[in-house]
Amino acid sequence: MASHTPAVRSSLSDAGSEKKLEALLQKMTLEEKVGQLVQYSAGQPTGPGTGRTDYDDMIRKGEVGALFNITTARQVNAYQRVAVEQSRLHIPLLFGLDVIHGFRTEFPIPLGLASSWDPDLIEQTARVAARETSASGIRWTFSPMVDIARDARWGRMTEGSGEDPFLGAAIARAYVRGYQGARLDAPDSIAACPKHFVGYGAAEGGRDYNSVEISEHALRQFYLPPFHAAIDAGAATLMSAFNSLNGVPTTANPFTLKQILKGEWGFQGIVDSDYTSVGELIAHGIANDGATAARKALLAGVDMDMVSSLYHENLVQLVRSGQVPEAAVDESVRRVLRVKFALGLFERPYADEAKETGAMLRPESVSLARTAAERSFVLLKNAPFSGGAPVLPLSNEVKRVALVGPLADDSNDMLGSWAGQGRAEDVIALRTALTQRLGVDRVHYAKGIEIVGGSDDQLAEAVKTAQESDLVILALGENAPEMTGEAASRAHLGLPGHQEQLLEKIVATGKPVALLLFTGRPLTLPWAFEHVPAVGAAWFPGIQVGPALVRTLFGEANPSGKLPVSWPRSVGQEPLYYDALNTGRPADNIDLTRPPKNILEKYVSRYIDEQNTPQFPFGYGLSYTQFGYGDLKLDKNQLSAKALNVQLRAGDPQTNRALSVSAEITNTGTRAGEEIVQCYVRLQGTSVALPVRALSGFQRISLSPGEKKELTFELGPEAFAFWNDQNKFVVEPARLTVWISPDSAHGERKTLDITP
Ligand code: BGC
């Protein structure tokens, strides 16, 4: 993989600012140096805090380098004035915030955005977020979360781009480009912070903060690529994580932070700890006091201590007593100052308060939020109803629609977790938009039940409303703030509360039902997928939920979203991901819908009471039209490992083509539509076992009814390279299989040999 592009290197560390920062460093006392490495929350805490409040005094004394959780330009300027006008060296503060999927203009949750498979769109959403965030004086977001998430029990799956390293890397780059813009020192750019480094999404049992064991091979092959991509794209900062990795907490892990990130990848920016994660080294059991925790974190490469106070309280003494070399502190201070210079904070420390309000919710931002919500929608099922047409799209002629469910008239949940400055009042709810569309006489709303709780009367009213209508739109799902995001792992993945009961009663009315799932993760709903004719994953779509879904329901927007995660049938299948290894006893060609009948069916890698396959595979999603795939072609019938390795080392793999793979895609339906076409590879006969399929390319194609296009994927040598048994990224002789397909479980394939 490529290292930093030259343009990015210079924007983080050009010679002029390096000189300035060295000059500044010379003037700093040890206390002032340590101050640059200290970060506190001066607003709504996002975890247990320190209880500190005396920020002005600390800032004046140069004891603080960064603050976060402040949300307005006025507050930012007030603190900044103390730093710039009253501290001895006038070093500006760096202000950060969790701007995860929008600041005031809330876009779909990141998992929803990832379902668009549209990096350009995601880049635009990040650009809007950067403009709004910087207008409030905040120049640093703790985003993107690029943790690979293979387990839907983990609540933070909602915050990332799903299970795949290739898709994850493409999206990671898009976020960084969007946040940081063309130049980091432009007033409307903000520093990105890919997190949580690393392996946080692999928490055992899907339980947040839990321990993680990942071999070096798997780390490099699956978990590191999105981080590397973000750093390659120029991310100015990075956050460590809460979890331990192979026994060593990631906030004191020199292998990942020093060797890989700062060494192999040449990262020049700030490594921030996660919230109190320096202090948590004590609970992890690798430090028995705060001073040891601070020493271990700093020496492992954590430059800034978020909230725990331990750098603040211990580093000066640790240096004076010789336990931490001052050079290590200097190195971290350089990184902090480098980012402050790169952001132009020394020249422009203040936000323009007069421009703040005007930057929010601009019409073009709101319209982008609608597009993003439309593109994040994944149509999971759309079967004919009673032998007739599929339920969706709905006809404009429909006379009476029942809108039922606890999320049908909701504004708050639609913002998702980490809703930034998003406000419920900015949300156009589904009920509002549907009523605007059809008129109040044609929309009959009944809540039916609460997300958790509710009464028999509510249920009865909903059933009656359904019976009196021509069709039912059912809006069910999770409570976003409580059931998704941090500290929201779930051991049960069905619909919360008694929503399934409501669902069954509504389906029993015999009316056509379109079920919209509002959720931060896939939900295990085998009954629904069998009995409800139309089901879509809306995720939490943000402020434009209503208009986006109404346009989708009535077919003005044709769904094109594809799942960025495998959708399980039952919790017991988790962790579930498509790019798994084959095992020595794969269950191919065995009917797994029933218990094993004989020895051959039993002693394979399977469950005796569940299928191996997901409910819906990674990459899956329907449209209101259909697409045919055919005529798969490769432009070579053999590749050479030696030549590919030369190519791999030669230069930019992005422009270094090795194999053209093409297929003909036809719109075989009756509507115009867009399809996300996917290219997968498999390598067999290699020094380590590799996944049964790995995504190596995707393209969006737009086709009118009957139209046919040839689509080509130009695969570079990196598509055939992997981390081998020596942990080297190389191409080895192998049998190569290539697919072009609509998802990770189907499609035509071709094979060829990669010779020595
Ligand atoms: C989360 C981070 C977040 C930080 C600051 C932590 O609890 O793990 O993702 O950026 O808080 O709010």
Side-chain angles (χ1 to χ4, degrees):
M1 296 173 87
S3 58
H4 285 305
T5 61
V8 167
R9 270 192 191 286
S10 62
S11 73
L12 249 196
S13 62
D14 65 76
S17 20
E18 287 295 302
K19 242 171 121 180
K20 284 190 213 155
L21 81 82
E22 288 303 333
L24 190 50
L25 193 61
Q26 293 307 314
K27 293 191 204 146
M28 294 170 83
T29 64
L30 178 58
E31 285 78 1
E32 284 165 336
K33 289 177 184 174
V34 169
Q36 287 304 306
L37 313 184
V38 172
Q39 178 189 17
Y40 286 119
S41 167
Q44 179 74 29
T46 50
T50 53
R52 284 181 187 266
T53 49
D54 47 346
Y55 296 113
D56 280 353
D57 190 44
M58 287 189 277
I59 296 166
R60 206 171 286 121
K61 290 199 260 174
E63 291 177 9
V64 180
L67 286 177
F68 71 114
N69 287 340
I70 295 164
T71 53
T72 66
R74 193 180 51 77
Q75 292 167 310
V76 163
N77 285 346
Y79 282 122
Q80 193 68 297
R81 237 171 262 124
V82 180
V84 172
E85 291 167 23
Q86 299 175 28
S87 75
R88 190 178 77 93
L89 292 173
H90 318 291
I91 302 174
L93 293 163
L94 178 56
F95 292 90
L97 190 70
D98 290 280
V99 179
I100 307 298
H101 49 112
F103 182 75
R104 179 74 188 267
T105 303
E106 278 313 304
F107 296 102
I109 52 165
L111 192 66
L113 287 174
S115 304
S116 73
W117 291 52
D118 192 339
D120 291 343
L121 174 90
I122 292 170
E123 180 176 338
Q124 290 172 47
T125 66
R127 194 86 281 278
V128 168
R131 283 200 201 105
E132 294 187 353
T133 306
S134 57
S136 286
I138 299 144
R139 301 292 305 284
W140 185 22
T141 176
F142 308 130
S143 169
M145 188 191 95
V146 302
D147 292 307
I148 294 296
R150 294 171 158 188
D151 192 332
R153 290 173 294 183
W154 190 50
R156 303 195 78 168
M157 177 180 267
T158 185
E159 289 177 55
S161 300
E163 72 191 36
D164 183 68
F166 184 89
L167 180 63
I171 294 178
R173 281 189 284 270
Y175 276 111
V176 175
R177 282 196 304 263
Y179 289 138
Q180 299 197 169
R183 290 187 62 101
L184 208 45
D185 63 357
D188 64 355
S189 286
I190 59 177
C193 183
K195 66 188 189 186
H196 307 83
F197 199 68
V198 52
Y200 182 40
E204 263 178 31
R207 206 181 73 216
D208 209 1
Y209 317 122
N210 206 0
S211 314
V212 168
E213 297 286 328
I214 304 175
S215 70
E216 183 176 343
H217 165 76
L219 194 67
R220 291 182 183 275
Q221 186 73 27
F222 304 109
Y223 291 89
L224 288 174
F227 284 98
H228 197 178
I231 299 306
D232 255 6
T237 78
L238 171 139
M239 191 184 289
S240 73
F242 288 128
N243 59 289
S244 67
L245 175 68
N246 305 328
V248 184
T250 48
T251 292
N253 197 315
F255 173 61
T256 53
L257 293 171
K258 280 226 141 139
Q259 185 175 320
I260 296 179
L261 174 72
K262 294 185 175 178
E264 293 174 26
W265 300 353
F267 176 63
Q268 297 292 317
I270 303 171
V271 173
D272 197 13
S273 78
D274 200 351
Y275 200 99
T276 60
S277 67
V278 175
E280 290 166 29
L281 298 178
I282 298 172
H284 272 291
I286 68 154
N288 286 335
D289 52 63
T292 310
R295 175 173 59 80
K296 287 200 167 182
L298 186 90
L299 294 181
V302 172
D303 303 307
M304 191 179 266
D305 171 11
M306 184 195 285
V307 176
S308 88
S309 287
L310 294 181
Y311 282 13
H312 194 177
E313 286 161 12
N314 297 290
L315 269 185
V316 168
Q317 181 52 27
L318 283 166
V319 172
R320 295 239 155 90
S321 64
Q323 294 175 75
V324 165
E326 187 160 356
V329 171
D330 287 354
E331 179 49 28
S332 290
V333 175
R334 276 189 190 98
R335 290 169 178 272
V336 174
L337 294 178
R338 183 174 294 134
V339 171
K340 290 184 176 182
F341 275 110
L343 283 164
L345 285 176
F346 284 88
E347 291 83 42
R348 276 185 312 278
Y350 302 115
D352 184 344
E353 293 175 35
K355 290 200 179 139
E356 185 177 20
T357 311
M360 308 299 160
L361 291 171
R362 289 206 184 129
E364 63 275 19
S365 310
V366 173
S367 135
L368 183 67
R370 194 195 74 193
T371 306
E374 288 170 6
R375 292 213 169 171
S376 68
F377 183 83
V378 184
L379 183 63
L380 297 169
K381 182 179 174 190
N382 192 22
F385 182 70
S386 274
V391 172
L392 295 175
L394 304 178
S395 152
N396 280 315
E397 310 308 313
V398 62
K399 291 209 177 59
R400 217 183 139 98
V401 175
L403 178 65
V404 176
L407 289 146
D409 194 20
D410 169 281
S411 295
N412 206 32
D413 292 283
M414 297 301 138
L415 297 169
S417 77
W418 293 116
Q421 295 309 294
R423 299 183 192 167
E425 75 210 42
D426 302 336
V427 174
I428 302 182
L430 176 56
R431 182 184 180 189
T432 311
L434 192 66
T435 310
Q436 267 164 14
R437 166 86 181 215
L438 294 177
V440 73
D441 294 344
R442 290 160 76 196
V443 179
H444 295 262
Y445 166 74
K447 196 170 192 187
I449 203 159
E450 305 299 322
I451 294 175
V452 174
S455 67
D456 288 346
D457 288 352
Q458 271 181 310
L459 277 174
E461 189 209 347
V463 170
K464 186 161 171 281
T465 307
Q467 276 161 344
E468 291 166 359
S469 303
D470 302 316
L471 63 94
V472 189
I473 299 169
L474 200 48
L476 305 179
E478 299 184 286
N479 165 329
E482 281 166 29
M483 297 174 183
T484 76
E486 187 174 348
S489 295
R490 295 182 61 199
H492 306 278
L493 291 180
L495 282 165
H498 299 296
Q499 294 182 70
E500 194 131 356
Q501 202 184 330
L502 170 68
L503 171 70
E504 289 177 22
K505 282 188 189 292
I506 296 293
V507 171
T509 62
K511 300 288 176 178
V513 176
L515 169 61
L516 303 176
L517 295 171
F518 296 90
T519 170
R521 49 157 75 80
L523 298 175
T524 52
L525 302 171
W527 190 91
F529 293 120
E530 198 180 331
H531 296 98
V532 183
V535 189
W539 313 112
F540 292 110
I543 55 168
Q544 282 284 297
V545 48
L549 288 181
V550 167
R551 279 170 45 82
T552 305
L553 289 168
F554 286 91
E556 280 131 34
N558 190 352
S560 61
K562 300 266 190 174
L563 292 176
V565 282
S566 302
W567 192 293
R569 296 172 190 276
S570 49
V571 182
Q573 293 180 307
E574 294 288 355
L576 183 67
Y577 49 97
Y578 84 98
D579 52 347
L581 307 188
N582 200 36
T583 80
R585 293 187 179 193
D588 299 344
N589 307 321
I590 291 176
D591 181 0
L592 298 176
T593 60
R594 52 171 173 70
K597 268 200 314 211
N598 54 40
I599 283 185
L600 289 178
E601 287 192 359
K602 181 167 165 70
Y603 290 94
V604 294
S605 182
R606 65 173 297 175
Y607 301 100
I608 53 170
D609 55 0
E610 182 54 279
Q611 302 180 56
N612 287 1
T613 54
Q615 185 86 53
F616 303 107
F618 171 84
Y620 172 87
L622 301 173
S623 159
Y624 294 150
T625 188
Q626 293 79 42
F627 298 96
Y629 283 64
D631 206 17
L632 178 64
K633 279 192 286 218
L634 310 180
D635 74 337
K636 300 195 178 66
N637 47 28
Q638 187 170 292
L639 290 167
S640 136
K642 193 168 165 209
L644 288 170
N645 279 318
V646 170
Q647 239 183 318
L648 189 65
R649 315 225 169 290
D652 181 2
Q654 303 301 324
T655 54
N656 207 356
R657 301 299 169 212
L659 181 71
S660 293
V661 189
S662 60
E664 266 185 10
I665 319 295
T666 312
N667 182 341
T668 57
T670 54
R671 287 172 170 267
E674 295 189 354
E675 167 78 338
I676 294 151
V677 181
Q678 300 155 44
C679 179
Y680 293 88
V681 302
R682 178 178 188 182
L683 294 163
Q684 287 165 282
T686 43
S687 62
V688 288
L690 292 165
V692 291
R693 278 203 199 196
L695 184 71
S696 338
F698 59 91
Q699 292 181 48
R700 179 181 284 269
I701 184 171
S702 176
L703 294 172
S704 38
E707 195 186 358
K708 178 188 284 192
K709 268 190 200 158
E710 181 172 274
L711 201 65
T712 303
F713 289 87
E714 300 285 359
L715 300 182
E718 76 288 351
F720 316 111
F722 59 93
W723 293 92
N724 73 1
D725 60 348
Q726 307 297 311
N727 285 315
K728 296 273 178 305
F729 192 64
V730 292
V731 180
E732 288 181 356
R735 171 126 277 230
L736 167 70
T737 307
V738 186
W739 290 258
I740 289 187
S741 55
D743 59 53
S744 62
H746 300 94
E748 213 189 313
R749 73 183 85 173
K750 282 245 182 320
T751 56
L752 60 76
D753 283 330
I754 302 178
T755 64

